[in-house]
Amino acid sequence: MPRIGVFVCQCGNNIAATVDTKKVAEEMGKLPGVVYTCDYKFMCSSPGQEMLRQAIKENKLDGIIVSACSPHMHEKTFRKAAEGAGLNPYQCEITNIREQCSWVHHDKTKAAGTVKSIDLTRMTIQRLKKNQPLKKIKIPVKKKAMVIGGGIAGIQAALDIAEGGREVILVEKEPSIGGNMARLSETFPTMDCSQCILTPKMVEAELNENITLYTYSEVEKVDGYIGNFTVTVRRKSKYVDEERCTGCGECIEKCPFKVDSQFELGLNKRKVIYTPFPQSVPNVPVIDAPNCTKIQKDKCGACAIVCGPKCIDFKMEDKLVTEEVGAIVVATGYQNMPNERFGEYGYGRIKDVISGMQFERLASSSGPTGGEIRRPSDGKIPQSVVFIQCVGSRDEKKGVSYCSKICCMYTAKHTKLYSHKVHGGQSYVFYMDIRSGGKRYEEFVRGAIEHEGAMYLRGRVSRVYEKNGKIMVQGADTLSGNQVEIEADMVVLATAVVSRDGADTLAQRLGIGYDKYKFYNEYHPKLKPVETVTAGIYLAGTCMGPMDIPESVAQGSAAASKVLALFSADEMAREPITSVVNRTTCNACWDCVTACPYTAIEREAIKDRQGNVVRWVAKVNDGVCQGCGVCVAACRSKSIDLKGYTDEQVFAAINAF
Amino acid sequence: MEKTLRLKAKELLESGEVKVVIGYGWNRSKTRTTPVFITDPADVDTLVWNPLCVNNLSLYLTRKYKEIKALGRPAIVAKGCDIRNIVVLITEGQFKREDVFIIGMTCNGTVYKQDLWKGELTPNIMPTKCHNCDVRNPHVTDFVVGEKSTFTPPEVPTGMVYDKVKDLDSKSQSERWAFWVKEFSRCVKCYACRQVCPLCYCERCITEKNMPQWIETSAHPRGNLSWNLTRAMHLVGRCTFCGECERSCPVNIPLNLINQKMIGVVKEAFDFKSGYDEKTHPPMIVFSPDDKENFIK
């Protein structure tokens, strides 16, 4: 006969107002197997927990039930207390008589609430009788991390993990780390130069002994689980030996071919052998193979001739590298929505309609104009510039429904930069609302409007067209109620922040979720903002949604702290609520494999002594399984059970109802 | 057709490419066809092909028939509709495509029940599936027997089953409930529907799990309801509407109705029809971040 104790909590008046806790305790005492019952004001308090421990010891209880609040609140507390009294923690079960009972009943006579509490507790008692003692799962942890994406969030995460004394591999798709931040001119709200604050971090990442940089590389495959990931990285061929290259730049000098520079967003040309920007890290050029005549047609080869250390190899091929890591930080960043979608603003049709990011390049001292604001068509200094906000953002029909969050701030910054660089120039801003929440952000925008002379017009632009060499911008000023037409020399579009192309493919490789905009999903939007549903994979920066530099950096550090906490022990203890397969009845239909959101189920071959495969069965990897129970529902032959929530337990509970 | 079929079967058995040919043969009085399993090339003349070949033989490829598996690689005589079941079995990892030699039969329809046969195949003795068949030219085969069929199924599926589904859909929830309770109350739990279904291949069916016993085994209305609903649910997104369950039901429960209804639901929700592509797992059981969530209200 089991010896069960039932502890009914009054939760002050939270439960006791509509539930007669004393009666619940008394009724439970009448059930077979229940040897101890009590009710108390606050079971979770220190005296309450002490009472529980005492009762377990004195009555030699082998299972306890606490009828109190949601297990989300105090299941851990009570299981720990039970463990303290020598009980297996999983022999402690919670009945939720607060959220699921007292709070939904308003009957002060306590009739309905009490009856329901008795029912719920009785179900838990029957369930408890079928409980099996469980042990926490221990998983070994490989203390090496991988950061995917070498923008500011990724760099920060890598630096922090390295500072914590752990090895990090920083994987970057482009030839240089730096990401979108490397393109920016100045940064709001302090107006310090983006590259001046970024490049020291880039160099730090390069020099840090704990950080291995894999630039021009992409993640191809991810296997394994928390503490034990195996990641295959494709290191694209640079055609330049990284080890021997001195970064002298002779090859770039000599290369006779020029193509549009992606880094400069088409505002400038670059050579076919190139580094994206002068401060690139690592300072090793790569050859753009599709445009290289040597590689395509075996003509030229000038770069190889001038190269002192002879490190150019036109026959170099992509390499696949396999890395074993314990944790992964995903910081793949964002891109801007293609402006071509907005024909009414003339992008692509009118040369001097540019994107906000292109404006950053124009204003950047390392940009194509050396920091002078000159329009792309004829190089003239524009005397009036119209900035259009919310291009694609907050536009469910043609763009995205969310707010891109950073545009209000950077547009204000653009007007400031413009007024600093072009004295006497007039800037106009068409906006929907100004969203400037953040430390010193509102002051920054007010400064742009009140001190720097930017003309803010609340309304949308309907049409942009060319007339006599000017760009005519027609729009509404909803505050004055007038239609306005502005003659501009240049138009700047604040295009929406969107997820990167291929973000969904990477998410599928990693087994993490994403929303309809292909931004990655955090585990919990408030309380687990850098975790994903897949344990051991963390997020940082704009791959999750629009955010500014301070937020991205904070997230990089947050993700790093999660990684370091994971790496602080050799083994990781996990809740043993995982699925288990009955190998004798498994049909190997693999429904569980396809149903599992965490790719936690593998195919296992059962072999005879000669090594011949006798049959195939499913196998749950305890390290990855999150105990969601989808496989249990998917299994037609009921060959999977969830520990802690076994069929037997659930059936017993239902039967007791 | 029979001649080509027999020659191919002989060739396969003689070369040792397959060890058994699963096909149709006559019963003793030549009134019905029955499954035959030919292992000796001398016996190939037993094989027949005619509109009475209604059985879905893919059943004999499943793990339920270990003794047939033990014979070695099989060749199977299969109509397009049977092949759809073979395809589902392949997607569910029950065997690999190369593990079975499919002799696809071009088909002009079969009789719904063999007793209806009066020597001629007329539309009124064909089951609904044949009137709407898009696999009269078998779609996944190693060898095809028969002239190419030029039949094109009607754009909107027609037939008794579809009409009845529509009729049921138009009724109120309580009327539908009453209808099914009444139909299922006849169930005697003989499990013929399960035994004949090529997709009910579990070695231990959920009804046989007794720790705990989720489904009552006695022919009591409550157990009948849970058995029939569980059976239907386990076939959602997988059932190919081969009709064998209803054909074998001794108390004529209209199982085709419930199966076809679910096929319609899956078609609408996932734009999926089972049994055409051996690489696509039935969608109901696949985790996909792109799944529609419009059912959450």
Side-chain angles (χ1 to χ4, degrees), chain A residues 587-589 591 594-595 636-638 647, chain B residues 63 92 201-202 204 214 238 281 285 287:
Chain A
N587 286 312
C589 69
D591 276 1
T594 53
R636 290 189 294 272
S637 62
K638 283 272 161 279
D647 268 16
Chain B
R63 56 172 63 225
E92 294 182 354
Y201 52 71
C202 288
R204 185 202 56 189
W214 283 113
R238 306 169 64 231
H281 206 89
I285 326 155
F287 169 77

mmCIF file with all atom_site columns, all heavy atoms in Angstrom, chain A residues 587-589 591 594-595 636-638 647, chain B residues 63 92 201-202 204 214 238 281 285 287:
data_model
loop_
_atom_site.group_PDB
_atom_site.id
_atom_site.type_symbol
_atom_site.label_atom_id
_atom_site.label_alt_id
_atom_site.label_comp_id
_atom_site.label_asym_id
_atom_site.label_entity_id
_atom_site.label_seq_id
_atom_site.pdbx_PDB_ins_code
_atom_site.Cartn_x
_atom_site.Cartn_y
_atom_site.Cartn_z
_atom_site.occupancy
_atom_site.B_iso_or_equiv
_atom_site.pdbx_formal_charge
_atom_site.auth_seq_id
_atom_site.auth_comp_id
_atom_site.auth_asym_id
_atom_site.auth_atom_id
_atom_site.pdbx_PDB_model_num
ATOM 1   N N   . ASN A 1 587 ? 6.817  0.016  -34.948 1.00 0.00 ? 587 ASN A N   1
ATOM 2   C CA  . ASN A 1 587 ? 6.638  -0.433 -36.326 1.00 0.00 ? 587 ASN A CA  1
ATOM 3   C C   . ASN A 1 587 ? 7.590  0.226  -37.300 1.00 0.00 ? 587 ASN A C   1
ATOM 4   O O   . ASN A 1 587 ? 7.495  -0.011 -38.501 1.00 0.00 ? 587 ASN A O   1
ATOM 5   C CB  . ASN A 1 587 ? 5.219  -0.095 -36.787 1.00 0.00 ? 587 ASN A CB  1
ATOM 6   C CG  . ASN A 1 587 ? 4.216  -1.006 -36.168 1.00 0.00 ? 587 ASN A CG  1
ATOM 7   O OD1 . ASN A 1 587 ? 4.392  -2.203 -36.165 1.00 0.00 ? 587 ASN A OD1 1
ATOM 8   N ND2 . ASN A 1 587 ? 3.170  -0.428 -35.613 1.00 0.00 ? 587 ASN A ND2 1
ATOM 9   N N   . ALA A 1 588 ? 8.437  1.099  -36.809 1.00 0.00 ? 588 ALA A N   1
ATOM 10  C CA  . ALA A 1 588 ? 9.379  1.810  -37.676 1.00 0.00 ? 588 ALA A CA  1
ATOM 11  C C   . ALA A 1 588 ? 8.682  2.524  -38.821 1.00 0.00 ? 588 ALA A C   1
ATOM 12  O O   . ALA A 1 588 ? 9.121  2.480  -39.955 1.00 0.00 ? 588 ALA A O   1
ATOM 13  C CB  . ALA A 1 588 ? 10.435 0.850  -38.211 1.00 0.00 ? 588 ALA A CB  1
ATOM 14  N N   . CYS A 1 589 ? 7.545  3.155  -38.540 1.00 0.00 ? 589 CYS A N   1
ATOM 15  C CA  . CYS A 1 589 ? 6.871  3.920  -39.587 1.00 0.00 ? 589 CYS A CA  1
ATOM 16  C C   . CYS A 1 589 ? 7.432  5.334  -39.672 1.00 0.00 ? 589 CYS A C   1
ATOM 17  O O   . CYS A 1 589 ? 7.145  6.064  -40.602 1.00 0.00 ? 589 CYS A O   1
ATOM 18  C CB  . CYS A 1 589 ? 5.366  3.968  -39.351 1.00 0.00 ? 589 CYS A CB  1
ATOM 19  S SG  . CYS A 1 589 ? 4.887  4.949  -37.916 1.00 0.00 ? 589 CYS A SG  1
ATOM 20  N N   . ASP A 1 591 ? 6.742  7.946  -38.104 1.00 0.00 ? 591 ASP A N   1
ATOM 21  C CA  . ASP A 1 591 ? 5.833  9.068  -37.875 1.00 0.00 ? 591 ASP A CA  1
ATOM 22  C C   . ASP A 1 591 ? 6.385  9.968  -36.781 1.00 0.00 ? 591 ASP A C   1
ATOM 23  O O   . ASP A 1 591 ? 6.283  11.181 -36.828 1.00 0.00 ? 591 ASP A O   1
ATOM 24  C CB  . ASP A 1 591 ? 4.454  8.563  -37.453 1.00 0.00 ? 591 ASP A CB  1
ATOM 25  C CG  . ASP A 1 591 ? 3.608  8.204  -38.653 1.00 0.00 ? 591 ASP A CG  1
ATOM 26  O OD1 . ASP A 1 591 ? 4.119  8.332  -39.779 1.00 0.00 ? 591 ASP A OD1 1
ATOM 27  O OD2 . ASP A 1 591 ? 2.452  7.811  -38.460 1.00 0.00 ? 591 ASP A OD2 1
ATOM 28  N N   . THR A 1 594 ? 9.148  12.269 -38.117 1.00 0.00 ? 594 THR A N   1
ATOM 29  C CA  . THR A 1 594 ? 8.709  13.449 -38.870 1.00 0.00 ? 594 THR A CA  1
ATOM 30  C C   . THR A 1 594 ? 7.908  14.399 -37.994 1.00 0.00 ? 594 THR A C   1
ATOM 31  O O   . THR A 1 594 ? 7.871  15.589 -38.248 1.00 0.00 ? 594 THR A O   1
ATOM 32  C CB  . THR A 1 594 ? 7.845  13.039 -40.076 1.00 0.00 ? 594 THR A CB  1
ATOM 33  O OG1 . THR A 1 594 ? 6.785  12.203 -39.608 1.00 0.00 ? 594 THR A OG1 1
ATOM 34  C CG2 . THR A 1 594 ? 8.645  12.317 -41.121 1.00 0.00 ? 594 THR A CG2 1
ATOM 35  N N   . ALA A 1 595 ? 7.278  13.852 -36.944 1.00 0.00 ? 595 ALA A N   1
ATOM 36  C CA  . ALA A 1 595 ? 6.438  14.712 -36.105 1.00 0.00 ? 595 ALA A CA  1
ATOM 37  C C   . ALA A 1 595 ? 7.262  15.517 -35.111 1.00 0.00 ? 595 ALA A C   1
ATOM 38  O O   . ALA A 1 595 ? 6.840  16.578 -34.671 1.00 0.00 ? 595 ALA A O   1
ATOM 39  C CB  . ALA A 1 595 ? 5.412  13.868 -35.358 1.00 0.00 ? 595 ALA A CB  1
ATOM 40  N N   . ARG A 1 636 ? 0.848  5.450  -33.654 1.00 0.00 ? 636 ARG A N   1
ATOM 41  C CA  . ARG A 1 636 ? -0.426 4.740  -33.773 1.00 0.00 ? 636 ARG A CA  1
ATOM 42  C C   . ARG A 1 636 ? -0.464 3.472  -32.935 1.00 0.00 ? 636 ARG A C   1
ATOM 43  O O   . ARG A 1 636 ? -1.514 3.065  -32.471 1.00 0.00 ? 636 ARG A O   1
ATOM 44  C CB  . ARG A 1 636 ? -0.690 4.388  -35.244 1.00 0.00 ? 636 ARG A CB  1
ATOM 45  C CG  . ARG A 1 636 ? -0.994 5.593  -36.091 1.00 0.00 ? 636 ARG A CG  1
ATOM 46  C CD  . ARG A 1 636 ? -1.457 5.148  -37.450 1.00 0.00 ? 636 ARG A CD  1
ATOM 47  N NE  . ARG A 1 636 ? -0.400 4.471  -38.165 1.00 0.00 ? 636 ARG A NE  1
ATOM 48  C CZ  . ARG A 1 636 ? 0.480  5.080  -38.926 1.00 0.00 ? 636 ARG A CZ  1
ATOM 49  N NH1 . ARG A 1 636 ? 0.417  6.379  -39.085 1.00 0.00 ? 636 ARG A NH1 1
ATOM 50  N NH2 . ARG A 1 636 ? 1.417  4.402  -39.546 1.00 0.00 ? 636 ARG A NH2 1
ATOM 51  N N   . SER A 1 637 ? 0.695  2.838  -32.782 1.00 0.00 ? 637 SER A N   1
ATOM 52  C CA  . SER A 1 637 ? 0.668  1.588  -32.016 1.00 0.00 ? 637 SER A CA  1
ATOM 53  C C   . SER A 1 637 ? 0.900  1.850  -30.528 1.00 0.00 ? 637 SER A C   1
ATOM 54  O O   . SER A 1 637 ? 1.079  0.909  -29.768 1.00 0.00 ? 637 SER A O   1
ATOM 55  C CB  . SER A 1 637 ? 1.709  0.629  -32.560 1.00 0.00 ? 637 SER A CB  1
ATOM 56  O OG  . SER A 1 637 ? 2.990  1.172  -32.412 1.00 0.00 ? 637 SER A OG  1
ATOM 57  N N   . LYS A 1 638 ? 0.911  3.098  -30.126 1.00 0.00 ? 638 LYS A N   1
ATOM 58  C CA  . LYS A 1 638 ? 1.146  3.495  -28.739 1.00 0.00 ? 638 LYS A CA  1
ATOM 59  C C   . LYS A 1 638 ? 2.429  2.854  -28.216 1.00 0.00 ? 638 LYS A C   1
ATOM 60  O O   . LYS A 1 638 ? 2.449  2.232  -27.158 1.00 0.00 ? 638 LYS A O   1
ATOM 61  C CB  . LYS A 1 638 ? -0.044 3.108  -27.843 1.00 0.00 ? 638 LYS A CB  1
ATOM 62  C CG  . LYS A 1 638 ? -1.231 4.034  -27.986 1.00 0.00 ? 638 LYS A CG  1
ATOM 63  C CD  . LYS A 1 638 ? -1.130 5.219  -27.048 1.00 0.00 ? 638 LYS A CD  1
ATOM 64  C CE  . LYS A 1 638 ? -2.019 6.377  -27.464 1.00 0.00 ? 638 LYS A CE  1
ATOM 65  N NZ  . LYS A 1 638 ? -1.456 7.216  -28.526 1.00 0.00 ? 638 LYS A NZ  1
ATOM 66  N N   . ASP A 1 647 ? 1.110  6.792  -20.119 1.00 0.00 ? 647 ASP A N   1
ATOM 67  C CA  . ASP A 1 647 ? -0.274 6.411  -20.398 1.00 0.00 ? 647 ASP A CA  1
ATOM 68  C C   . ASP A 1 647 ? -0.956 5.930  -19.116 1.00 0.00 ? 647 ASP A C   1
ATOM 69  O O   . ASP A 1 647 ? -2.109 6.263  -18.847 1.00 0.00 ? 647 ASP A O   1
ATOM 70  C CB  . ASP A 1 647 ? -0.296 5.264  -21.414 1.00 0.00 ? 647 ASP A CB  1
ATOM 71  C CG  . ASP A 1 647 ? -0.397 5.788  -22.830 1.00 0.00 ? 647 ASP A CG  1
ATOM 72  O OD1 . ASP A 1 647 ? -0.143 6.988  -23.012 1.00 0.00 ? 647 ASP A OD1 1
ATOM 73  O OD2 . ASP A 1 647 ? -0.724 5.002  -23.731 1.00 0.00 ? 647 ASP A OD2 1
ATOM 74  N N   . ARG B 2 63  ? 4.210  -5.823 -42.638 1.00 0.00 ? 63  ARG B N   1
ATOM 75  C CA  . ARG B 2 63  ? 4.882  -6.613 -41.624 1.00 0.00 ? 63  ARG B CA  1
ATOM 76  C C   . ARG B 2 63  ? 3.942  -7.603 -40.941 1.00 0.00 ? 63  ARG B C   1
ATOM 77  O O   . ARG B 2 63  ? 4.371  -8.441 -40.177 1.00 0.00 ? 63  ARG B O   1
ATOM 78  C CB  . ARG B 2 63  ? 5.536  -5.692 -40.591 1.00 0.00 ? 63  ARG B CB  1
ATOM 79  C CG  . ARG B 2 63  ? 4.576  -4.721 -39.946 1.00 0.00 ? 63  ARG B CG  1
ATOM 80  C CD  . ARG B 2 63  ? 5.243  -3.983 -38.796 1.00 0.00 ? 63  ARG B CD  1
ATOM 81  N NE  . ARG B 2 63  ? 6.355  -3.176 -39.265 1.00 0.00 ? 63  ARG B NE  1
ATOM 82  C CZ  . ARG B 2 63  ? 7.537  -3.127 -38.658 1.00 0.00 ? 63  ARG B CZ  1
ATOM 83  N NH1 . ARG B 2 63  ? 7.748  -3.805 -37.568 1.00 0.00 ? 63  ARG B NH1 1
ATOM 84  N NH2 . ARG B 2 63  ? 8.487  -2.355 -39.123 1.00 0.00 ? 63  ARG B NH2 1
ATOM 85  N N   . GLU B 2 92  ? 6.324  5.372  -45.356 1.00 0.00 ? 92  GLU B N   1
ATOM 86  C CA  . GLU B 2 92  ? 6.354  5.110  -43.923 1.00 0.00 ? 92  GLU B CA  1
ATOM 87  C C   . GLU B 2 92  ? 7.435  4.094  -43.564 1.00 0.00 ? 92  GLU B C   1
ATOM 88  O O   . GLU B 2 92  ? 7.399  3.492  -42.488 1.00 0.00 ? 92  GLU B O   1
ATOM 89  C CB  . GLU B 2 92  ? 4.972  4.660  -43.447 1.00 0.00 ? 92  GLU B CB  1
ATOM 90  C CG  . GLU B 2 92  ? 3.960  5.783  -43.598 1.00 0.00 ? 92  GLU B CG  1
ATOM 91  C CD  . GLU B 2 92  ? 2.573  5.424  -43.104 1.00 0.00 ? 92  GLU B CD  1
ATOM 92  O OE1 . GLU B 2 92  ? 2.363  4.255  -42.740 1.00 0.00 ? 92  GLU B OE1 1
ATOM 93  O OE2 . GLU B 2 92  ? 1.720  6.328  -43.094 1.00 0.00 ? 92  GLU B OE2 1
ATOM 94  N N   . TYR B 2 201 ? -0.885 -1.723 -40.293 1.00 0.00 ? 201 TYR B N   1
ATOM 95  C CA  . TYR B 2 201 ? 0.118  -2.784 -40.247 1.00 0.00 ? 201 TYR B CA  1
ATOM 96  C C   . TYR B 2 201 ? 0.784  -2.937 -38.883 1.00 0.00 ? 201 TYR B C   1
ATOM 97  O O   . TYR B 2 201 ? 1.737  -3.686 -38.746 1.00 0.00 ? 201 TYR B O   1
ATOM 98  C CB  . TYR B 2 201 ? 1.193  -2.551 -41.309 1.00 0.00 ? 201 TYR B CB  1
ATOM 99  C CG  . TYR B 2 201 ? 1.794  -1.168 -41.272 1.00 0.00 ? 201 TYR B CG  1
ATOM 100 C CD1 . TYR B 2 201 ? 2.636  -0.781 -40.232 1.00 0.00 ? 201 TYR B CD1 1
ATOM 101 C CD2 . TYR B 2 201 ? 1.521  -0.246 -42.277 1.00 0.00 ? 201 TYR B CD2 1
ATOM 102 C CE1 . TYR B 2 201 ? 3.177  0.493  -40.199 1.00 0.00 ? 201 TYR B CE1 1
ATOM 103 C CE2 . TYR B 2 201 ? 2.058  1.027  -42.241 1.00 0.00 ? 201 TYR B CE2 1
ATOM 104 C CZ  . TYR B 2 201 ? 2.890  1.388  -41.194 1.00 0.00 ? 201 TYR B CZ  1
ATOM 105 O OH  . TYR B 2 201 ? 3.409  2.637  -41.155 1.00 0.00 ? 201 TYR B OH  1
ATOM 106 N N   . CYS B 2 202 ? 0.275  -2.225 -37.864 1.00 0.00 ? 202 CYS B N   1
ATOM 107 C CA  . CYS B 2 202 ? 0.918  -2.308 -36.552 1.00 0.00 ? 202 CYS B CA  1
ATOM 108 C C   . CYS B 2 202 ? 0.923  -3.756 -36.066 1.00 0.00 ? 202 CYS B C   1
ATOM 109 O O   . CYS B 2 202 ? -0.077 -4.454 -36.164 1.00 0.00 ? 202 CYS B O   1
ATOM 110 C CB  . CYS B 2 202 ? 0.177  -1.460 -35.536 1.00 0.00 ? 202 CYS B CB  1
ATOM 111 S SG  . CYS B 2 202 ? 0.405  0.280  -35.798 1.00 0.00 ? 202 CYS B SG  1
ATOM 112 N N   . ARG B 2 204 ? 1.325  -4.512 -32.958 1.00 0.00 ? 204 ARG B N   1
ATOM 113 C CA  . ARG B 2 204 ? 0.409  -4.490 -31.840 1.00 0.00 ? 204 ARG B CA  1
ATOM 114 C C   . ARG B 2 204 ? -0.500 -3.290 -32.026 1.00 0.00 ? 204 ARG B C   1
ATOM 115 O O   . ARG B 2 204 ? -0.065 -2.150 -31.925 1.00 0.00 ? 204 ARG B O   1
ATOM 116 C CB  . ARG B 2 204 ? 1.138  -4.354 -30.501 1.00 0.00 ? 204 ARG B CB  1
ATOM 117 C CG  . ARG B 2 204 ? 0.120  -4.470 -29.371 1.00 0.00 ? 204 ARG B CG  1
ATOM 118 C CD  . ARG B 2 204 ? 0.580  -3.856 -28.085 1.00 0.00 ? 204 ARG B CD  1
ATOM 119 N NE  . ARG B 2 204 ? 0.942  -2.454 -28.249 1.00 0.00 ? 204 ARG B NE  1
ATOM 120 C CZ  . ARG B 2 204 ? 1.533  -1.760 -27.302 1.00 0.00 ? 204 ARG B CZ  1
ATOM 121 N NH1 . ARG B 2 204 ? 1.850  -2.327 -26.170 1.00 0.00 ? 204 ARG B NH1 1
ATOM 122 N NH2 . ARG B 2 204 ? 1.834  -0.490 -27.488 1.00 0.00 ? 204 ARG B NH2 1
ATOM 123 N N   . TRP B 2 214 ? -6.915 1.470  -23.500 1.00 0.00 ? 214 TRP B N   1
ATOM 124 C CA  . TRP B 2 214 ? -7.563 2.717  -23.933 1.00 0.00 ? 214 TRP B CA  1
ATOM 125 C C   . TRP B 2 214 ? -8.909 2.421  -24.598 1.00 0.00 ? 214 TRP B C   1
ATOM 126 O O   . TRP B 2 214 ? -9.858 3.167  -24.472 1.00 0.00 ? 214 TRP B O   1
ATOM 127 C CB  . TRP B 2 214 ? -6.682 3.469  -24.922 1.00 0.00 ? 214 TRP B CB  1
ATOM 128 C CG  . TRP B 2 214 ? -5.542 4.195  -24.274 1.00 0.00 ? 214 TRP B CG  1
ATOM 129 C CD1 . TRP B 2 214 ? -4.225 3.912  -24.405 1.00 0.00 ? 214 TRP B CD1 1
ATOM 130 C CD2 . TRP B 2 214 ? -5.613 5.331  -23.405 1.00 0.00 ? 214 TRP B CD2 1
ATOM 131 N NE1 . TRP B 2 214 ? -3.472 4.784  -23.673 1.00 0.00 ? 214 TRP B NE1 1
ATOM 132 C CE2 . TRP B 2 214 ? -4.293 5.673  -23.050 1.00 0.00 ? 214 TRP B CE2 1
ATOM 133 C CE3 . TRP B 2 214 ? -6.657 6.100  -22.881 1.00 0.00 ? 214 TRP B CE3 1
ATOM 134 C CZ2 . TRP B 2 214 ? -3.990 6.734  -22.210 1.00 0.00 ? 214 TRP B CZ2 1
ATOM 135 C CZ3 . TRP B 2 214 ? -6.355 7.155  -22.049 1.00 0.00 ? 214 TRP B CZ3 1
ATOM 136 C CH2 . TRP B 2 214 ? -5.036 7.467  -21.710 1.00 0.00 ? 214 TRP B CH2 1
ATOM 137 N N   . ARG B 2 238 ? -3.513 9.235  -44.793 1.00 0.00 ? 238 ARG B N   1
ATOM 138 C CA  . ARG B 2 238 ? -2.825 8.042  -45.274 1.00 0.00 ? 238 ARG B CA  1
ATOM 139 C C   . ARG B 2 238 ? -3.754 7.220  -46.155 1.00 0.00 ? 238 ARG B C   1
ATOM 140 O O   . ARG B 2 238 ? -3.338 6.644  -47.153 1.00 0.00 ? 238 ARG B O   1
ATOM 141 C CB  . ARG B 2 238 ? -2.382 7.188  -44.079 1.00 0.00 ? 238 ARG B CB  1
ATOM 142 C CG  . ARG B 2 238 ? -1.563 7.962  -43.062 1.00 0.00 ? 238 ARG B CG  1
ATOM 143 C CD  . ARG B 2 238 ? -1.367 7.160  -41.785 1.00 0.00 ? 238 ARG B CD  1
ATOM 144 N NE  . ARG B 2 238 ? -0.604 5.958  -41.999 1.00 0.00 ? 238 ARG B NE  1
ATOM 145 C CZ  . ARG B 2 238 ? -0.988 4.754  -41.602 1.00 0.00 ? 238 ARG B CZ  1
ATOM 146 N NH1 . ARG B 2 238 ? -2.147 4.585  -40.989 1.00 0.00 ? 238 ARG B NH1 1
ATOM 147 N NH2 . ARG B 2 238 ? -0.242 3.706  -41.827 1.00 0.00 ? 238 ARG B NH2 1
ATOM 148 N N   . HIS B 2 281 ? 6.033  12.236 -46.775 1.00 0.00 ? 281 HIS B N   1
ATOM 149 C CA  . HIS B 2 281 ? 5.389  11.606 -45.619 1.00 0.00 ? 281 HIS B CA  1
ATOM 150 C C   . HIS B 2 281 ? 4.003  12.227 -45.436 1.00 0.00 ? 281 HIS B C   1
ATOM 151 O O   . HIS B 2 281 ? 3.847  13.426 -45.669 1.00 0.00 ? 281 HIS B O   1
ATOM 152 C CB  . HIS B 2 281 ? 6.253  11.847 -44.385 1.00 0.00 ? 281 HIS B CB  1
ATOM 153 C CG  . HIS B 2 281 ? 6.091  10.806 -43.330 1.00 0.00 ? 281 HIS B CG  1
ATOM 154 N ND1 . HIS B 2 281 ? 6.854  9.666  -43.308 1.00 0.00 ? 281 HIS B ND1 1
ATOM 155 C CD2 . HIS B 2 281 ? 5.251  10.709 -42.279 1.00 0.00 ? 281 HIS B CD2 1
ATOM 156 C CE1 . HIS B 2 281 ? 6.491  8.926  -42.279 1.00 0.00 ? 281 HIS B CE1 1
ATOM 157 N NE2 . HIS B 2 281 ? 5.522  9.541  -41.644 1.00 0.00 ? 281 HIS B NE2 1
ATOM 158 N N   . ILE B 2 285 ? 1.346  14.161 -39.913 1.00 0.00 ? 285 ILE B N   1
ATOM 159 C CA  . ILE B 2 285 ? 2.270  13.673 -38.903 1.00 0.00 ? 285 ILE B CA  1
ATOM 160 C C   . ILE B 2 285 ? 3.643  14.309 -39.090 1.00 0.00 ? 285 ILE B C   1
ATOM 161 O O   . ILE B 2 285 ? 4.626  13.833 -38.572 1.00 0.00 ? 285 ILE B O   1
ATOM 162 C CB  . ILE B 2 285 ? 2.361  12.122 -38.982 1.00 0.00 ? 285 ILE B CB  1
ATOM 163 C CG1 . ILE B 2 285 ? 1.008  11.560 -39.394 1.00 0.00 ? 285 ILE B CG1 1
ATOM 164 C CG2 . ILE B 2 285 ? 2.748  11.527 -37.656 1.00 0.00 ? 285 ILE B CG2 1
ATOM 165 C CD1 . ILE B 2 285 ? 1.049  10.251 -40.051 1.00 0.00 ? 285 ILE B CD1 1
ATOM 166 N N   . PHE B 2 287 ? 5.999  17.636 -38.603 1.00 0.00 ? 287 PHE B N   1
ATOM 167 C CA  . PHE B 2 287 ? 6.139  18.957 -37.999 1.00 0.00 ? 287 PHE B CA  1
ATOM 168 C C   . PHE B 2 287 ? 6.673  19.910 -39.052 1.00 0.00 ? 287 PHE B C   1
ATOM 169 O O   . PHE B 2 287 ? 7.709  19.665 -39.652 1.00 0.00 ? 287 PHE B O   1
ATOM 170 C CB  . PHE B 2 287 ? 7.114  18.914 -36.826 1.00 0.00 ? 287 PHE B CB  1
ATOM 171 C CG  . PHE B 2 287 ? 7.495  20.287 -36.347 1.00 0.00 ? 287 PHE B CG  1
ATOM 172 C CD1 . PHE B 2 287 ? 6.613  21.013 -35.573 1.00 0.00 ? 287 PHE B CD1 1
ATOM 173 C CD2 . PHE B 2 287 ? 8.700  20.865 -36.703 1.00 0.00 ? 287 PHE B CD2 1
ATOM 174 C CE1 . PHE B 2 287 ? 6.931  22.289 -35.152 1.00 0.00 ? 287 PHE B CE1 1
ATOM 175 C CE2 . PHE B 2 287 ? 9.027  22.141 -36.284 1.00 0.00 ? 287 PHE B CE2 1
ATOM 176 C CZ  . PHE B 2 287 ? 8.137  22.850 -35.502 1.00 0.00 ? 287 PHE B CZ  1
#
